[in-house]
Amino acid sequence: MSAHDTALIVIDVQESFRQAPYWDASELPAYLSRQQALIDGAKAAGMPVVQIFHVDSDEAFTLESGLVRALEEISIAPDATYHKSVHSALVDTGLEAWLRENGIRRLIVSGIRTEQCCETTTRHASDLGFEVDFVTEATLTFPMTHPSGRIFTAEDIRVRTELVLAGRFARIVTVEQALAPLSDAA
């Protein structure tokens, strides 16, 4: 695969999340560093970058809120932007058609939330025949409470997501591993 048939998908990296009751900024600096490195590396390699925003009836996720925009710390100039209203970025957005029209066969998935929209988009893309690299370190999530009362940390959730995706739906990679085939092909 090369930069010409690979696209970076940046999912829901938006200000809306700062308004969520579960927002936890403790892992934000590390995430932002890795997400920005992935965006910058993709752009340097000439790879298209696609930005996805989640829009729904929750006040912070409505277009009218003004919060459906990139996190202020992220510098991104996407080649395409899509709005979604469900977990998969490939449902009713036009993204799949754009990917196919542009000869994209491999997706690099990153963004917010690891186990929700990033994982769902990864599974969906794999089922549609795309090769997928899941860059866990360039995803962000938040602690969750199981119905039993057990609290799963963000790290617990990332590990679980890797477990269920690896070898089935995606290759689990670091930022450098995701970009390596691109620099090798250049």
Side-chain angles (χ1 to χ4, degrees), residues 78-98:
D79 296 283
T81 301
Y82 293 93
H83 294 104
K84 65 178 183 58
S85 59
V86 295
H87 294 98
S88 174
L90 293 156
V91 173
D92 297 330
T93 60
L95 174 59
E96 181 184 1
W98 185 90

Side-chain angles (χ1 to χ4, degrees), residues 137-148:
E137 66 182 357
T139 68
L140 181 67
T141 198
F142 313 100
M144 295 174 71
T145 303
H146 187 274
S148 70

Side-chain angles (χ1 to χ4, degrees), residues 126-148:
S126 175
D127 284 349
L128 291 172
F130 293 97
E131 290 185 36
V132 184
D133 281 354
F134 191 89
V135 188
T136 312
E137 66 182 357
T139 68
L140 181 67
T141 198
F142 313 100
M144 295 174 71
T145 303
H146 187 274
S148 70

Side-chain angles (χ1 to χ4, degrees), residues 8-15 17-18 23-40 50-53 69-76 109-114 118 134-142 154 158 175:
L8 171 60
I9 311 297
V10 180
I11 300 172
D12 301 348
V13 180
Q14 62 194 73
E15 285 294 328
F17 279 103
R18 290 190 204 269
W23 174 259
D24 177 350
S26 63
E27 296 190 9
L28 188 61
Y31 160 71
L32 290 169
S33 169
R34 301 315 293 156
Q35 181 70 77
Q36 193 65 60
L38 189 56
I39 293 167
D40 294 346
V50 179
Q51 188 166 26
I52 307 296
F53 290 113
R69 57 184 162 76
L71 284 176
E72 65 184 40
E73 299 92 340
I74 290 292
S75 175
I76 185 170
V109 173
S110 65
I112 302 174
R113 295 180 64 177
T114 308
C118 296
F134 191 89
V135 188
T136 312
E137 66 182 357
T139 68
L140 181 67
T141 198
F142 313 100
R158 282 191 297 272
V175 168

Side-chain angles (χ1 to χ4, degrees), residues 55-72:
V55 177
D56 66 29
S57 61
D58 182 328
E59 185 178 342
F61 288 87
T62 64
L63 292 174
E64 296 76 23
S65 72
L67 299 170
V68 179
R69 57 184 162 76
L71 284 176
E72 65 184 40

